[in-house]
Amino acid sequence: YKETTGQKQSKNTVAKKKKSYQCSKSKNRLSVCSKLCYAIGGAPYQITGSALGFFLQIYLLDVAQLDPFYASVILFVGRAWDAVTDPTVGFLVSRSRWTSIGRMMPWILISTPFAVLTYFLIWYVPPFEHGKVIWYLVFYCLFQSMQTCFHVPYSALTMFISTEQKERDSATAYRMMVEVLGTVLGTAIQGQIVGGATSACPSETDISDTTNSTNINISRVSLDDTKHAYMFASGVICAIYILCAAVLFLGVKEQKETGRKKSAPLSFSQGLWLVMSHGPYIKLVTSFLFTSLAFMLLEGNFALFITYALGHRNDFQNILLVIMLSGTLTIPCWQWFLTRFGKKTAVYIGNSWAVPFMILIVSVKSNLTISYLVSVAAGVSVAASFLLPWSMLPDVVDDFKIKNPDVHGHEALFYSFYVFFLKFASGVSLGISTLSLKFAGYVTGGCTQPESVSSTLKVLVSPVPVAFIALGLLIFRTYPIDEETRQCNRKLLQEILDSEADSESESSALGSTV
């Protein structure tokens, strides 16, 4: 009778746990509306990033009319500062206390107005000459700091919107879709508004009979109109930024984390050593560092290249938009390709796809049709470079877990250090490329540039990126995780998770029996 009573109590306990689990699962299921609201919160980072990436260099040189040396300093210091703030803000966020609106939301809410203000002031030309460099340097660095205070907590918010991994993955898929659309939106808003006010210089037909084209004063639109266009575009983007932050705050509820035990927090040097001691991670990151730099150089210098080397001053904003639209439309194709043929094959094909077109655009005479064709091809490779790193980093983390089963809770270090190295290297590359324009004799505010500037821009958008892509793919050959290894790691990791779940259930059953 006692044994029967114990069995009944055990069954009742199991039934209650199942019911509790089902209720918890139902409670943590996210609605489509919540997922969309969460995804919309990722748009500001991509919108402002694409606008700055494509237009800041040409804005500093031709609208603010800074010397190329000072423009290179601003671009380098801003990117380097942005790289440093990522792990710093991540460290501070991880030690934040829970509030009535959550632990991540206060960072997002407080940083938004400051991010919007500093972003707008980046695109404002101050009415004084002395101190311009300090103006742009200060507000560019402040914006990067405020943007980091928004985006790092937003990225970490994924872990606090639901305890169900399936729901998190679904929300992340929504986020990736909106972020890709955000890059297109940022390029479209900035490009189309500014493009209508950047025709202050004559086209090639206007100067065909003029020998000294650098002194032409023909002007359809004044420099003041161009300045106002940049400010108007930044105002539109600022309004979208505020709207997205409001949708995120009102539509997403941050859930308090459970009392699960965590590993002791690591110092910066300990985290760096943990990451650097894993060979596959180093090989993968180094490879993607070079291939990503290739496309960053193309992104940073392409507007100048289209304007001065190809002479398509009135079409550069449309060509940039074609690149982003091509990339957006081909991301699903690359997702299918890497699942069908493997990730390593996708890396080789995706990064080398644009190489013939990069060579073509600097080898033939300027032709608008060829420029659009190259833009479509470049967008295909940009999509691959955008998708593949974030698709392959989880494989490296899985491999690390298999080889270091006693280390838990430090997966985010692999992502944060990848972003850190990438941003710092991009700052160096953009700074050096802008500085090279100074040595080539770049004329700030000039309608045309010397032949040496045109040659330098051709080098920056073709031979140098091609060399970076080749070097990155050579390093990638040493990457040890192929499809077979990846599947094996997944099985081993699943076995580890299953064994941990079994041990927890046995412990729970033992406690119920007692």
Side-chain angles (χ1 to χ4, degrees):
Y1 173 76
K2 289 180 181 179
E3 198 171 271
T4 305
T5 303
Q7 288 176 351
K8 286 182 178 179
Q9 289 176 347
S10 179
K11 286 181 180 179
N12 290 334
T13 302
V14 171
K16 287 179 181 179
K17 286 186 176 180
K18 283 184 177 179
K19 188 176 180 180
S20 176
Y21 172 75
Q22 290 173 353
C23 291
S24 175
K25 190 173 182 179
S26 176
K27 183 180 178 181
N28 287 301
R29 186 175 290 116
L30 296 174
S31 65
V32 174
C33 180
S34 295
K35 294 174 185 177
L36 282 173
C37 290
Y38 168 73
I40 288 172
Y45 183 80
Q46 299 299 333
I47 293 173
T48 56
S50 62
L52 289 168
F54 278 120
F55 295 95
L56 183 59
Q57 185 187 46
I58 195 170
Y59 166 80
L60 292 175
L61 294 173
D62 287 355
V63 181
Q65 297 190 349
L66 297 180
D67 185 271
F69 171 76
Y70 295 121
S72 68
V73 170
I74 293 170
L75 292 172
F76 166 70
V77 174
R79 291 293 183 100
W81 178 258
D82 186 26
V84 172
T85 56
D86 273 301
T88 304
V89 172
F91 177 84
L92 295 174
V93 168
S94 65
R95 284 157 176 76
S96 299
R97 294 181 178 181
W98 183 267
T99 67
S100 59
I101 58 173
R103 192 151 67 97
M104 305 298 158
M105 282 298 181
W107 286 86
I108 294 171
L109 287 179
I110 294 173
S111 64
T112 294
F114 296 104
V116 167
L117 177 63
T118 51
Y119 180 81
F120 182 79
L121 292 176
I122 289 174
W123 304 103
Y124 172 72
V125 180
F128 49 81
E129 287 299 322
H130 299 289
K132 261 188 185 181
V133 177
I134 301 299
W135 174 279
Y136 290 112
L137 188 61
V138 168
F139 285 114
Y140 187 37
C141 290
L142 284 176
F143 170 73
Q144 298 289 12
S145 300
M146 295 300 103
Q147 179 78 309
T148 301
C149 289
F150 181 99
H151 194 253
V152 169
Y154 170 76
S155 300
L157 189 62
T158 311
M159 304 301 295
F160 300 96
I161 57 176
S162 175
T163 56
E164 294 294 326
Q165 184 62 45
K166 185 178 179 181
E167 294 300 311
R168 293 175 185 169
D169 292 341
S170 178
T172 301
Y174 277 81
R175 170 189 166 187
M176 293 297 292
M177 176 186 68
V178 173
E179 285 189 350
V180 171
L181 293 176
T183 61
V184 177
L185 188 61
T187 307
I189 292 173
Q190 190 85 3
Q192 296 305 312
I193 294 176
V194 170
T198 53
S199 302
C201 294
S203 63
E204 290 180 345
T205 57
D206 295 324
I207 61 175
S208 57
D209 298 327
T210 308
T211 55
N212 189 13
S213 59
T214 57
N215 293 325
I216 291 178
N217 291 320
I218 301 174
S219 177
R220 296 191 184 93
V221 182
S222 69
L223 181 61
D224 287 337
D225 291 333
T226 305
K227 293 177 182 178
H228 293 153
Y230 271 100
M231 289 179 61
F232 181 71
S234 66
V236 173
I237 290 177
C238 287
I240 295 174
Y241 196 118
I242 295 173
L243 179 62
C244 291
V247 169
L248 175 65
F249 174 70
L250 296 175
V252 178
K253 184 179 180 181
E254 185 177 348
Q255 298 183 13
K256 197 167 185 177
E257 58 186 333
T258 60
R260 185 177 54 184
K261 291 183 179 180
K262 299 178 182 178
S263 301
L266 300 177
S267 65
F268 184 86
S269 59
Q270 289 174 328
L272 183 62
W273 171 253
L274 183 72
V275 167
M276 289 301 173
S277 60
H278 191 55
Y281 177 78
I282 295 301
K283 293 172 182 177
L284 182 71
V285 168
T286 305
S287 170
F288 279 134
L289 194 61
F290 283 106
T291 55
S292 298
L293 282 177
F295 292 105
M296 284 183 179
L297 274 174
L298 186 65
E299 177 190 52
N301 295 283
F302 205 57
L304 288 171
F305 173 74
I306 295 169
T307 302
Y308 295 115
L310 299 183
H312 305 317
R313 179 182 295 274
N314 298 327
D315 297 280
F316 83 96
Q317 71 277 7
N318 298 323
I319 294 174
L320 296 179
L321 184 58
V322 167
I323 293 177
M324 303 313 300
L325 284 173
S326 173
T328 302
L329 295 175
T330 51
I331 279 184
C333 299
W334 282 118
Q335 184 65 42
W336 170 84
F337 188 93
L338 64 88
T339 55
R340 177 67 177 82
F341 299 101
K343 296 182 180 181
K344 294 192 77 171
T345 304
V347 169
Y348 288 120
I349 300 297
N351 285 287
S352 59
W353 171 263
V355 170
F357 298 94
M358 289 180 183
I359 297 173
L360 174 66
I361 199 169
V362 298
S363 302
V364 300
K365 189 177 179 180
S366 174
N367 184 286
L368 187 59
T369 303
I370 293 178
S371 299
Y372 277 108
L373 178 65
V374 170
S375 299
V376 173
V380 174
S381 285
V382 166
S385 67
F386 181 85
L387 175 67
L388 289 170
W390 302 108
S391 175
M392 298 183 75
L393 279 172
D395 300 334
V396 175
V397 175
D398 288 344
D399 186 73
F400 177 82
K401 289 179 180 179
I402 296 297
K403 295 177 180 177
N404 301 271
D406 297 328
V407 180
H408 302 285
H410 304 302
E411 295 85 355
L413 289 173
F414 290 91
Y415 294 88
S416 61
F417 278 108
Y418 169 70
V419 174
F420 171 79
F421 295 132
L422 193 62
K423 286 183 176 180
F424 189 83
S426 68
V428 173
S429 66
L430 279 177
I432 292 176
S433 65
T434 309
L435 189 61
S436 65
L437 294 177
K438 175 179 175 59
F439 294 123
Y442 187 91
V443 180
T444 56
C447 288
T448 59
Q449 299 294 335
E451 186 62 30
S452 57
V453 172
S454 177
S455 301
T456 302
L457 288 170
K458 288 180 180 179
V459 171
L460 291 173
V461 301
S462 183
V464 175
V466 168
F468 278 154
I469 290 173
L471 184 57
L473 294 180
L474 284 174
I475 296 172
F476 187 73
R477 285 175 62 93
T478 64
Y479 178 65
I481 303 177
D482 53 16
E483 286 302 305
E484 183 179 353
T485 306
R486 190 171 69 87
Q487 295 298 335
C488 182
N489 284 345
R490 285 291 179 90
K491 290 179 180 178
L492 291 173
L493 192 61
Q494 189 61 45
E495 290 176 2
I496 294 173
L497 293 175
D498 290 341
S499 64
E500 290 178 353
D502 291 340
S503 64
E504 286 180 4
S505 61
E506 289 176 3
S507 176
S508 177
L510 181 60
S512 299
T513 303
V514 172

